[in-house]
Amino acid sequence: MERQQRIAVVPGSFDPITKGHMDIIRRAKPLFDKVIVLVVINAVKNPCFSLQERVELIRRVTSDLPNVEVDCSAELLADYARRRGSCVVLKGLRAGSDFENEFQMALINRKINPELDTMFLTASSEYMFLSSSLVKELASYGADLSDFLPAEIIPDFQRRIEQRRLSLQGGK
Ligand code: ADP
């Protein structure tokens, strides 16, 4: 009998994708036949990049990873996974602060779709502290971002931060 493809969905807001996200995606890759990086609409208020822009930036930095697909969706994650034939949500787990929220989301997703399990990869120590919101804050002070973001997206990100700064000043 033919084995079913093992497909993992890695959801997030990715505003923007960081080296911490990339680390999880690269480590997930050998564990599954396909990894779908899914940009979801969530509580990020006033995002830097539109969904489509985030998809484009992630495609750019994963173009060397053949079994990685990038998509976006406004569907419930549990419904998206069912539709795509995936039974694993894969997430990165940073410090204890991620735990409670992730535990709750994993339980809810499995309630909606009993075939869906959530798996966690622990963050690598060098990215344990890293989040997209921290990178946005650092960028607003003109900090060097090369330890935090894939090099290919830094110019786009800096340009966007600068545009936002100018439009905020203009609005005063
Ligand atoms: P954030 O805005 O906090 O960076 P996202 O919604 O984009 O978060 O994150 C999507 C997923 O990636 C979450 O499971 C989150 O725990 C994980 N993640 C985010 N940053 C890191 C990191 N530095 N190391 C490991 N996993 C991470």
Side-chain angles (χ1 to χ4, degrees), residues 68-106:
V68 173
E69 181 188 319
V70 188
D71 198 5
C72 63
S73 172
E75 260 170 289
L76 267 178
L77 179 58
D79 292 338
Y80 178 89
R82 186 188 285 120
R83 183 166 65 74
R84 296 300 312 270
S86 164
C87 48
V88 175
V89 172
L90 187 88
K91 306 215 76 180
L93 202 58
R94 287 165 292 191
S97 53
D98 272 347
F99 181 78
E100 205 156 319
N101 192 25
E102 294 294 352
F103 198 85
Q104 185 184 29
M105 281 199 284

Side-chain angles (χ1 to χ4, degrees), residues 140-172:
S140 69
Y141 292 100
D144 176 11
L145 302 178
S146 52
D147 282 344
F148 311 124
L149 294 184
E152 306 93 301
I153 72 164
I154 291 178
D156 295 69
F157 179 61
Q158 284 174 324
R159 217 173 300 125
R160 185 56 54 91
I161 290 288
E162 181 60 11
Q163 280 167 358
R164 276 161 61 108
R165 195 180 63 79
L166 291 174
S167 75
L168 276 177
Q169 277 180 351
K172 267 186 196 164

Side-chain angles (χ1 to χ4, degrees), residues 10-16 18-21 23-24 27 40 42 44 90-94 98 102 120-124 127-133 136:
V10 179
S13 37
F14 305 104
D15 188 51
T18 67
K19 285 192 170 181
H21 296 125
D23 178 56
I24 296 295
R27 286 161 58 202
V40 293
N42 76 358
V44 181
L90 187 88
K91 306 215 76 180
L93 202 58
R94 287 165 292 191
D98 272 347
E102 294 294 352
F120 297 98
L121 287 178
T122 48
S124 295
Y127 302 127
M128 191 86 189
F129 60 90
L130 184 55
S131 68
S132 298
S133 45
K136 282 181 232 179

Side-chain angles (χ1 to χ4, degrees), residues 5-138:
Q5 269 214 322
R6 288 168 309 179
I7 304 172
V9 178
V10 179
S13 37
F14 305 104
D15 188 51
I17 186 160
T18 67
K19 285 192 170 181
H21 296 125
M22 285 303 290
D23 178 56
I24 296 295
I25 295 164
R26 283 186 192 283
R27 286 161 58 202
K29 196 178 151 315
L31 306 176
F32 296 93
D33 298 311
K34 186 194 272 189
V35 172
I36 303 174
V37 181
L38 184 70
V39 183
V40 293
I41 297 176
N42 76 358
V44 181
K45 285 186 212 117
N46 194 12
C48 269
F49 293 104
S50 70
L51 282 183
Q52 212 43 58
E53 286 172 326
R54 284 179 256 165
V55 166
E56 196 276 315
L57 292 175
I58 301 169
R59 286 204 177 123
R60 196 186 302 169
V61 296
T62 56
S63 60
D64 62 326
L65 306 175
N67 61 349
V68 173
E69 181 188 319
V70 188
D71 198 5
C72 63
S73 172
E75 260 170 289
L76 267 178
L77 179 58
D79 292 338
Y80 178 89
R82 186 188 285 120
R83 183 166 65 74
R84 296 300 312 270
S86 164
C87 48
V88 175
V89 172
L90 187 88
K91 306 215 76 180
L93 202 58
R94 287 165 292 191
S97 53
D98 272 347
F99 181 78
E100 205 156 319
N101 192 25
E102 294 294 352
F103 198 85
Q104 185 184 29
M105 281 199 284
L107 289 176
I108 288 172
N109 282 330
R110 200 138 67 94
K111 182 149 183 62
I112 301 169
N113 174 354
E115 277 151 30
L116 188 61
D117 249 313
T118 301
M119 293 172 68
F120 297 98
L121 287 178
T122 48
S124 295
S125 54
E126 65 268 48
Y127 302 127
M128 191 86 189
F129 60 90
L130 184 55
S131 68
S132 298
S133 45
L134 180 71
V135 174
K136 282 181 232 179
E137 185 154 350
L138 289 172

